């Protein structure tokens, strides 16, 4: 319920009407400069200000993981982070995973292993997976489970997601070896 | 069995919409913004039952940016699918905590939010109906006007001056006499709490009313656009044709987005705002608190058996705590009278299913549609009866199992074409190496190491629960380059509908998958009719419609080609995108050359635009007799079974599932990868229902766990070590390529199989869900207490 004493649980962005502050950061390789509401979350900044709707909102309380993105190399739930905390940060969202119209290996493996059904958790799931593979190119199945434990999926039962991440890891290692 | 090799059926092509979904380009209603769009917020009742004395909206209306404030006075409409009992906004009385009492549309969320906080409601708190027994006592009526409510007659049976929204029953044979003749009679009571669907995308709708006519345009996360249109038209008293419902990608449904939800409120707000589009996206808390759930249920079951283990009598009372409204819930309850005896042949049966009103968040369809609930009762009871008989529960099931020549409780005779429950049970028993319950000595040895292993089996069956007149359709068009566009009315909510439809079209037309597109997104102004995207019916009914549409297209192309080749159309066949002569295969015409009529060299043209049409209606179904429940309710039964191997920690009560084997007689696998995906996902959802999920209310009916923090659904760390999907193919004669639906079935009977395995492990019978560590540890402590 969205009662006045529970604003934190409101689903849409609520403008605090505080004086605007400058925000400079890099999103998917592009420099961004905006004057923003200092009370705005990073998720709202992406969806409301930048109109990047790939990052999803499932609970607005950090429990579902649908809003996961990578900030300075670490996966974060963007609904719990203020946009101003990302000052100077490098942000990677689902829109930044493919390059020049080519899907990344990770995205290809999600399709091939059918690591998605309704697709709503998929962007957040992909970002948790990307962050894992960036810090651990050869994870075990248990390490994959640990890495995506904060990303809820109600459709797949997770098995196909884990398979997709493991096979992407294998292909990425091979690609690295083959230069 | 048909051993024919198919090109596309039974293979595992990737899902059609994968690319959009892995790139963040798939647009859901949550992502949509329209010019001039306003945002809706609602005020909810904090009480389970209260009289609305007054509502003062003046301060909210005075706030700049507020475009509309609506209360129940502004929404004099009842809406509902089977029981027309639900108000769009509460009027005079609130019936559950979370019910909408007022709604605001404003230029932004902050203003809408502030406006909601300025609405003053004076309530007189009333005593409420919180339990199944209170509902049956009927000292308080949740709907005082129950005698006047409109409902689907002949199918549902609301009881006068009661809280019983529908009382359905099956009476077959002489159950009391059979109990007298029984060697053993076993009675039990089982219970399971209400559960939430928790799609990752909450419900969302945008409505735009035309201020100069009745016309409404709706974008919704709904599973069933044509049901939204039909129910809204009926409620508002306008024409169906005036309502356009568009469905972009849907972030999970599981039944919770079937029927009608936020759309009418968004529509009324838009109308009040002179036609500006209004978006209402539910918060996660509203998803738990305001939007419907799976009903809680109590089953009281009595089974009579002969000495050698033949069930001769069954009497069950299924009582559904359906909450404040039963518009959809009554149909969940109705399933119990034709499938609530399980997949067994029982000659003497009495089943009562009562869908009850209480003052709690209301219930609706949820994957499995009553069957997870009834099978919790039936399949636990099967094990308990076997224990009392001293029989292996596998043997006991096999002794009573349905199969060709046997009769269901509603009088349907099963045939070879119906599929085989015993094949399923046998397969999972083998997969988990079932050898019967362990002996008490074996348990005691295991107990010394603090963890005990146990195995359990459970059977299941389900047929679509739908009106006897349910129908669907498909339209197909071909382009000049031979590529085909297919339109269906059902929605791909992630189950892979569009992918299997594409495979079936490719198989019949014999063209590559890449040349077929199932048109997205779905729009009631353009797509052909479909009843609802529910009941695991899309593969079966939609598939049959698509096959007919493709055959229709081939027939039309042959007619034109027959003129060109000056032969009878019966001499023509098709393959690889061509129509050709059976004896002179070089005489051939590509589909593309026939798509818009065939042109001769001199310019003469014959034929015309090729458009295929296919419809499918659930033929032969009947309503069930009011007093006996006899009739034909089932278009297609899908049988299944689970075998579970688990380990339980004696100290913590924590259950670790080592293996789940799940077998389903799907008739024919259309897409192996996607079918297995349904099984993997459904099994884990069933594990959620079994081990952790359940709504909790306090004595006043306030929902205590409306967040993911307190309502735990399974994460990747809660997976079993292994799930083994087993696909059995005994084809159904009238199924598309022999196929049956299997979308819902994987979660049915998972709780029962786990409960049965816990008995094997602990020697303790569990009667209530969830089987969370607390409940299990308490039971273990209880049995170990001096």
């Amino acid at each position: 319920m969205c009662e006045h004493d529970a604003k934190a649980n409101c689903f849409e962005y609520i403008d605090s009407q505080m004086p605007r502050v400058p925000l400079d950061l890099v999103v998917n390789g592009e420099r961004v400069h905006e004057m923003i509401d200092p009370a705005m979350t990073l998720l709202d900044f992406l969806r409301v200000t930048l109109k990047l709707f790939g990052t999803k909102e499932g609970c607005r309380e950090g429990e579902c993981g649908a809003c996961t993105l990578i900030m300075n190399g670490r996966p974060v739930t963007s609904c719990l982070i203020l946009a101003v905390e990302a000052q100077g940060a490098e942000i990677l969202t689902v829109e930044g995973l493919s390059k020049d119209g080519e899907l990344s290996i990770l995205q290809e493996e999600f399709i091939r292993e059918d690591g998605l059904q309704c697709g709503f958790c998929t962007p957040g799931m992909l970002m948790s997976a990307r962050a894992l593979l960036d810090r651990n190119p050869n994870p075990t199945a248990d390490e994959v489970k640990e890495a995506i434990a904060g990303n809820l999926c109600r459709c797949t039962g997770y098995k196909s997601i884990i398979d997709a991440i493991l096979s992407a890891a294998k292909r990425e290692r091979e690609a690295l070896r083959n230069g | 069995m048909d051993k024919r090799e198919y090109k596309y059926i039974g293979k595992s092509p990737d899902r059609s919409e994968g690319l959009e979904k892995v790139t963040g380009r798939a647009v859901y209603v949550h992502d949509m913004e329209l010019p001039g769009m306003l945002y809706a917020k609602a005020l909810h009742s904090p009480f389970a039952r209260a009289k609305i004395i007054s509502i003062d909206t003046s301060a909210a209306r005075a706030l700049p940016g507020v475009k509309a404030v609506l209360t129940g006075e502004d929404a004099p409409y009842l809406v509902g699918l089977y029981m027309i009992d639900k108000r769009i906004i509460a009027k005079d009385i609130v019936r559950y905590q979370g019910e909408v009492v007022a709604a605001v549309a404003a230029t932004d969320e902050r203003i809408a939010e502030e406006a909601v906080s300025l609405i003053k409601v004076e309530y007189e708190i009333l005593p409420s109906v919180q339990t199944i027994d209170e509902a049956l006592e009927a000292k308080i009526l949740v709907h005082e006007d129950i005698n006047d409510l409109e409902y689907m007659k002949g199918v549902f049976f609301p009881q006068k001056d009661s809280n019983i929204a529908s009382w359905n029953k099956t009476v077959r044979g002489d159950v009391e006499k059979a109990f007298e003749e029984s060697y053993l009679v076993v009675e039990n009571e089982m219970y399971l709490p209400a559960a939430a669907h928790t799609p990752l995308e909450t419900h969302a709708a945008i409505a735009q009313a035309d201020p100069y006519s009745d016309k409404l345009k709706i974008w919704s996360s709904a599973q069933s656009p044509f049901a939204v249109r039909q129910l809204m038209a009926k409620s508002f008293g306008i024409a169906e044709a005036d309502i356009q419902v568009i469905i972009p990608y849907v972030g999970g449904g599981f039944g919770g987005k079937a029927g009608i939800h936020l759309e009418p409120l968004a529509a009324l707000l838009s109308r009040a705002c002179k036609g500006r589009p209004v978006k209402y996206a539910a918060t996660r808390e509203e998803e738990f608190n305001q939007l419907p759930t799976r009903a809680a249920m109590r089953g009281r079951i009595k089974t009579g058996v002969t000495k050698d283990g033949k069930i001769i009598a069954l009497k069950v009372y299924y009582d559904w705590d359906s909450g404040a409204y039963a518009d959809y819930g009554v149909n969940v309850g109705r399933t119990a009278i034709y499938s609530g005896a399980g997949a067994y042949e029982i000659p003497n049966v009495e089943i009562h299913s009562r869908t009850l009103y209480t003052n709690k968040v209301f219930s609706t369809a949820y994957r499995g549609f009553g069957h997870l609930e009834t099978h919790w009762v039936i399949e636990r009871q099967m094990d308990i009866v076997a224990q009392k008989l001293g029989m292996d529960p596998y043997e006991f099931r096999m002794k009573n199992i349905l199969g060709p020549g046997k009769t269901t409780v509603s009088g349907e005779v099963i045939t070879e074409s119906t599929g085989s429950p015993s094949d399923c049970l046998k397969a999972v028993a083998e997969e988990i190496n079932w050898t019967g319950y362990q002996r008490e000595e074996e348990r005691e040895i295991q107990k010394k190491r603090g963890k005990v292993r146990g195995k359990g089996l459970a059977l299941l069956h389900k047929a679509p629960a739908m009106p006897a007149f349910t129908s669907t359709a498909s339209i197909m068009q071909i382009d000049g380059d031979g590529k085909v566009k297919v339109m269906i009315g059902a929605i791909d909510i992630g189950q892979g509908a569009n992918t299997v439809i594409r495979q079936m079209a490719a198989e019949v037309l014999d063209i590559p998958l890449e040349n077929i597109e199932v048109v997205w997104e779905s729009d009631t102004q353009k797509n052909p009719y479909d009843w609802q995207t529910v009941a695991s019916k899309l593969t079966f009914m939609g598939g049959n419609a698509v096959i007919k549409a493709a055959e229709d297209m081939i027939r039309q192309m042959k007619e034109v080609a027959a003129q060109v080749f000056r032969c009878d159309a019966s001499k023509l066949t098709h393959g690889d995108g061509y129509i050709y002569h059976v004896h002179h295969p070089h005489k051939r015409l590509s589909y593309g050359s026939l798509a818009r009529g065939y042109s001769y060299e001199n310019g003469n043209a014959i034929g015309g635009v090729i458009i295929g049409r296919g419809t499918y209606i659930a033929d032969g179904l009947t309503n069930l007799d009011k007093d006996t429940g006899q009739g034909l309710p089932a278009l297609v039964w899908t049988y299944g079974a689970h075998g579970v191997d688990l380990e339980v920690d004696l100290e913590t009560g924590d259950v670790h599932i080592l293996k789940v084997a799940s077998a389903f007689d799907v008739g024919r696998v259309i897409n192996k990868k996607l079918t297995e995906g349904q099984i993997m996902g459904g099994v884990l959802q069933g594990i959620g229902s079994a081990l952790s999920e359940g709504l909790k209310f306090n004595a006043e009916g306030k929902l205590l766990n409306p967040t993911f923090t307190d309502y735990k659904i399974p994460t990747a760390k809660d997976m079993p070590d292994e799930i083994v999907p087993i696909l059995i193919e005994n084809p159904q004669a009238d199924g598309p390529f022999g196929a049956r639906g299997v979308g819902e079935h994987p979660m049915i009977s998972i709780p029962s199989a786990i409960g049965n395995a816990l008995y094997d492990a602990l020697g303790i019978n569990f009667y209530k869900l969830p089987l969370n560590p607390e409940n299990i540890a308490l039971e273990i402590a209880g049995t170990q207490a001096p």
Side-chain angles (χ1 to χ4, degrees), chain A residues 1-2 4 9 11-13 15 17 47 51 56 58 63 107 112 114 117-119 146 154-155 158, chain B residues 15 21-22 28 31 33 44 109-110 113 117 196-198 284-285 673 681 685 693 709 714 717:
Chain A
M1 262 190 306
C2 209
H4 59 286
N9 195 36
F11 219 54
E12 310 267 0
Y13 164 62
D15 191 332
Q17 298 193 315
R47 291 177 59 91
K51 307 289 180 197
K56 301 301 179 201
E63 286 287 338
Q107 289 166 307
R112 204 176 60 81
D114 207 34
Q117 287 181 25
C118 83
E146 189 68 40
R154 193 58 151 169
C155 297
Y158 303 106
Chain B
R15 66 175 54 242
K21 287 178 176 174
V22 299
Y28 301 78
D31 305 324
E33 292 178 342
H44 304 83
E109 301 84 353
R110 185 186 61 79
E113 183 55 24
S117 75
H197 309 74
T198 71
R284 182 53 63 183
E285 188 170 353
K673 182 160 68 174
Q685 214 170 104
E693 297 181 38
T709 316
K717 288 166 92 173

Side-chain angles (χ1 to χ4, degrees), chain A residues 1-7 9-17 47-48 51 53-61 63-66 94-98 103 106-108 110-123 126 142 144-146 148-160 162, chain B residues 14-15 17-19 21-24 26 28 30-31 33 39 41-45 97-98 109-110 113 116-117 196-202 250-252 254 279 281-286 289 366-367 493-495 673-674 677-678 680-682 684-685 688 693 707-709 711-717 719-720:
Chain A
M1 262 190 306
C2 209
E3 284 169 9
H4 59 286
D5 57 345
K7 276 212 167 76
N9 195 36
C10 281
F11 219 54
E12 310 267 0
Y13 164 62
I14 309 257
D15 191 332
S16 73
Q17 298 193 315
R47 291 177 59 91
V48 177
K51 307 289 180 197
F53 289 106
T55 305
K56 301 301 179 201
E57 175 178 6
C59 73
R60 214 174 173 84
E61 54 197 16
E63 286 287 338
C64 78
V94 67
E95 289 95 342
L97 283 179
S98 52
L103 291 187
L106 184 62
Q107 289 166 307
E108 283 178 356
F110 264 66
I111 294 175
R112 204 176 60 81
E113 295 284 352
D114 207 34
L116 67 145
Q117 287 181 25
C118 83
F120 205 78
C121 76
T122 309
L126 283 164
D142 279 344
V144 173
K145 283 185 191 176
E146 189 68 40
I148 62 165
N151 294 80
L152 297 179
C153 169
R154 193 58 151 169
C155 297
T156 62
Y158 303 106
K159 175 72 166 56
S160 56
I162 294 165
Chain B
D14 298 339
R15 66 175 54 242
E17 79 289 5
L19 184 81
K21 287 178 176 174
V22 299
T23 51
Y28 301 78
H30 265 277
D31 305 324
E33 292 178 342
Y39 294 85
K41 295 275 178 210
L43 180 68
H44 304 83
S45 168
Q97 178 250 317
E109 301 84 353
R110 185 186 61 79
E113 183 55 24
V116 164
S117 75
H197 309 74
T198 71
L200 262 287
E201 179 204 31
T202 60
V250 179
F254 314 112
K279 181 178 188 176
T283 65
R284 182 53 63 183
E285 188 170 353
E286 286 174 323
N289 226 353
Y366 182 1
R367 192 177 196 175
I493 56 175
Q495 81 280 42
K673 182 160 68 174
L674 266 54
Q678 287 303 300
M680 302 307 243
L684 195 64
Q685 214 170 104
E693 297 181 38
T707 67
F708 280 134
T709 316
Y711 186 98
K712 290 285 185 201
I713 69 168
T715 71
K717 288 166 92 173
M719 293 164 62

Side-chain angles (χ1 to χ4, degrees), chain B residues 453-472:
Chain B
R453 259 177 92 163
K455 292 178 183 177
L457 298 169
L459 193 63
L460 67 101
H461 67 167
K462 184 187 182 293
M466 57 198 193
F469 51 77
T470 299
S471 63
T472 193

Side-chain angles (χ1 to χ4, degrees), chain B residues 14 19 42 51 58 86 94 108 132 331 337 371 400 412 434 440 457 477 484 552 593 597-598 633 672 682 704 755 761:
Chain B
D14 298 339
L19 184 81
K51 202 177 279 180
S58 54
K86 197 169 65 185
V94 291
D108 68 38
I132 285 167
N331 200 35
I337 67 160
H371 290 65
N400 293 284
E412 179 186 353
W434 172 261
E440 192 54 40
L457 298 169
Q477 296 188 64
V484 171
D552 185 37
S593 69
Y598 176 80
K672 186 162 183 286
L704 299 175

Side-chain angles (χ1 to χ4, degrees), chain B residues 438-448:
Chain B
Q438 58 188 326
R439 287 172 291 119
E440 192 54 40
E441 308 88 84
E442 292 172 296
R443 268 187 210 121
E444 289 308 316
I445 293 165
Q446 289 202 62
K447 277 181 183 172
K448 292 197 177 84

Side-chain angles (χ1 to χ4, degrees), chain A residues 49-83:
Chain A
T49 308
L50 299 187
K51 307 289 180 197
L52 285 174
F53 289 106
T55 305
K56 301 301 179 201
E57 175 178 6
C59 73
R60 214 174 173 84
E61 54 197 16
E63 286 287 338
C64 78
C67 67
T68 304
L69 51 75
I70 296 177
M71 181 165 117
N72 295 330
R74 299 186 67 83
V76 295
T77 42
S78 61
C79 72
L80 292 185
I81 289 189
L82 290 176

Side-chain angles (χ1 to χ4, degrees), chain B residues 595-609:
Chain B
R596 286 143 193 186
Y598 176 80
S599 293
Y600 290 91
E601 272 178 30
N602 72 351
N604 284 169
I606 57 166
V609 176

